[in-house]
Amino acid sequence: MALIFKDETFRDDFTYKNSPATIRRFPFPFIEDQYRYSVNIEPHTPGPKGSVYEFTFDIDEHYVSEMRDRAMVLQEDPGRCQALPHMMTAQWDMLELVMVSLARDYPDLFTLHRDGAHWHWINKPLNIDQKFTFGEVNSLPYEPMEYVGRQIQGDFSLQDQRDGQLWMDAGIITSQADWSLDFDVGMNFFEWHAPVPLAHEAGVFERALKFLLNMQIGQPVRRLNWTMTINPRLDTSPENYPKWGKDRTTVTPENVGEKVHLRVELQGLFRLPRSNAILFSIRGYLMSLEQIVTVPKWGRRLPRVLKSLPPELIEYKGLARYRQTAIDWLEKYDDGAPTSPGGGPD
Amino acid sequence: MSGFPLRRVRVAEVEQVAARIKRFRFVDIDNAPLSQFSGGSHISVVMHSGDRLMRNPYSLMGSPTDTSSYQISVLHCGADSRGGSKFMHENVAVGSELEISQPLNLFPPVRLAKKHVLVAGGIGITPFMSMMNELDALRSDFELHYGVRSLEDGAYCKYLQSRYGSRVNVYRQDQGQMIPLDAILGEQRLGTHMYVCGPKPMIDWALQTAELQGWPQENLHSEQFSAPPPGKPFVVKLAKSGREIAVKGHQSILEALEEHGVDASFLCRGGACGQCETGVIACDGYIDHNDHFLSEAERVGGKKIMICMSRIQTGSITLDL
């Protein structure tokens, strides 16, 4: 199916919406009616055709508009893209992985010609035609991570590996769920995860770190994470909290279905070959409650899951002000029927 | 998630590079490009010798950006060999086909270092071959101190000196030359990292020398691929399946499990990466911890064992498998 890119906004008038086909492929993260914390890491192998897991990086109908929103964020705040000097090899690794993957998986949209270090990249949806020399920063208009990061949906961070730790030493983060690259850059795995409740005590991060330190080239993994966002706003950063924090107080029983969005992150982890760094991709998907309930299984399950959340998590994800309003609205769509296992629609 | 995906390669070249050292060059069986890798990486080579299955780690020595072939060097360990190096030297020739793992790096240069001091003994030169290639390309400051028994025994001395010039210092034991490590380490600027690879006594000596000079632990790095030391046979009991597996004298626990079709997690098989860490439920003998992963406290605790390297002296051990 050829993609038709939508012209829409993620700020001000918020015209973002999913088409019916995009609703069906939404990575609904709840595999059962009860909320249960799990690391849920699985190999990032190609998934079913048409699913968000089909390719290494997922491009969908929101691509062009998301890239426009990213450019606006970077224009207003260049600090959303930072790389410490020792991460240049990792930046080129990331550029290669992204370009090679996109050109392979979406040949109608992207083309890459390589002749030794002489590369020619064509991005049709964004009207980009760039010849450059791989490894030579001056041959691109931006540093490699920013160059390619402005052309792929999702946020990205690059982790250096040293001293038995991972260090977030680079990233391009413009559509984040309330965390700051500017604050986290240079931190290690335990430091940037410090605010997460419950998981530290359960030893989750120690196990996860050990797993990640031994990640192998060509064996990427993925997991889903989720939160909720008021309005389809990509940039819910701490830097812009004054712009979006107050949105939480605007939810009413009348507008909850339209305003409250489930925000799902398809997170990927890749060992990069030259730098031995780890690339972390955070590909976000937004869907309003009224679009979620168009899938009956999700309409039944979501209120059940929201009711079962532990208090620490409600606080951490910032749901406290509107969770009950959301449950009350969603329960109209829960007829009490049993739901099938797994997250996908029936 | 045990083990790793393997790639079939063909031996394209074998060269005797020193008295007991051969260099092997591998190409993909279909001539497909291999992965690039980072300096200090190694691969595991799978060897079927008779009814024995061995997977030995060898450092990659070529250019990390060369995707056409991989190169390793293998020292013939003679009577000490468990069979891996003997197999490579005697049974592998141009045209032989082997299986290898993807590159894994447990010995990477620290990119934040102001300078890198590399200390190699004998075959311990191999991880530094790719590391120097990378550091040179990054224009990082480094120097190599390489101890050999004699020029006949030491591999790549001439090559390294012609390529890296005065950054390479070779010390010949047959002429009574020793690496003057105390002096070398004493004059390094802050932010220098030291890397050592060679026989265990040399690694211990280098680390100790640096520690006595007050070098911080984070700036000291070592790698040693030692085969699992042999010992007496013993029995491993598996708590979950209730099975009992006999571990022969020359086998590691991991190898014995694999021989009996038990799926256990592993990666480096040299006691360094931590992947094969296994819970100990009961043990009526003394555990020989031969790994480099567990902390002193964990060893004393006796609740964990790295099954790729460690064994027990007598009695039996019950594992959480």
Side-chain angles (χ1 to χ4, degrees), chain A residues 53-72:
Chain A
Y53 308 115
E54 182 178 2
F55 299 124
T56 303
F57 300 108
D58 183 43
I59 299 292
D60 69 9
E61 62 185 3
H62 307 298
Y63 173 62
V64 173
S65 293
E66 278 193 40
M67 293 302 97
R68 187 169 53 211
D69 195 75
R70 164 158 297 161
M72 289 159 78

Side-chain angles (χ1 to χ4, degrees), chain A residues 4 17 22 42 55 59 89 123 195 197 210 242 249 258 275 291:
Chain A
I4 298 164
K17 263 202 167 36
T22 306
E42 61 178 5
F55 299 124
I59 299 292
T89 308
N123 177 334
K210 184 181 151 190
T249 64
E258 184 193 354
S275 57
Q291 290 208 309

Side-chain angles (χ1 to χ4, degrees), chain A residues 100-264:
Chain A
V100 168
S101 302
L102 292 184
R104 179 193 61 221
D105 297 338
Y106 302 92
D108 299 343
L109 305 179
F110 308 99
T111 318
L112 178 66
H113 298 287
R114 288 186 286 179
D115 176 13
H118 300 287
W119 290 33
H120 183 192
W121 168 248
I122 300 167
N123 177 334
K124 286 188 198 136
L126 298 183
N127 285 314
I128 291 169
D129 187 315
Q130 177 79 45
K131 288 179 177 154
F132 64 99
T133 308
F134 189 88
E136 269 185 35
V137 177
N138 294 333
S139 65
L140 285 173
Y142 304 98
E143 289 195 355
M145 176 185 70
E146 178 168 1
Y147 180 76
V148 80
R150 284 174 175 265
Q151 300 181 49
I152 181 162
Q153 284 170 279
D155 287 346
F156 290 84
S157 67
L158 287 166
Q159 280 64 230
D160 192 27
Q161 182 162 336
R162 58 179 193 273
D163 300 339
Q165 257 292 357
L166 294 174
W167 306 82
M168 194 189 292
D169 286 344
I172 177 165
I173 309 287
T174 66
S175 49
Q176 67 268 48
D178 202 8
W179 67 278
S180 166
L181 174 71
D182 193 43
F183 185 73
D184 285 358
V185 73
M187 285 191 185
N188 73 32
F189 189 78
F190 294 143
E191 290 167 346
W192 82 70
H193 281 118
V196 182
L198 304 172
H200 291 275
E201 295 81 342
V204 166
F205 291 114
E206 272 171 44
R207 288 199 300 276
L209 177 63
K210 184 181 151 190
F211 174 83
L212 294 173
L213 291 175
N214 282 336
M215 269 192 71
Q216 290 185 274
I217 297 168
Q219 303 288 304
V221 295
R222 66 178 173 233
R223 67 181 290 255
L224 293 178
N225 196 11
W226 69 277
T227 186
M228 296 181 107
T229 302
I230 309 308
N231 299 321
R233 190 191 291 275
L234 287 176
D235 176 20
T236 50
S237 57
E239 286 85 349
N240 273 339
Y241 188 79
K243 293 184 186 166
W244 59 268
K246 57 184 184 287
D247 290 353
R248 294 169 178 172
T249 64
T250 64
V251 178
T252 65
E254 291 70 40
N255 67 17
V256 57
E258 184 193 354
K259 264 195 178 288
V260 174
H261 288 66
L262 187 58
R263 181 191 198 101
V264 177

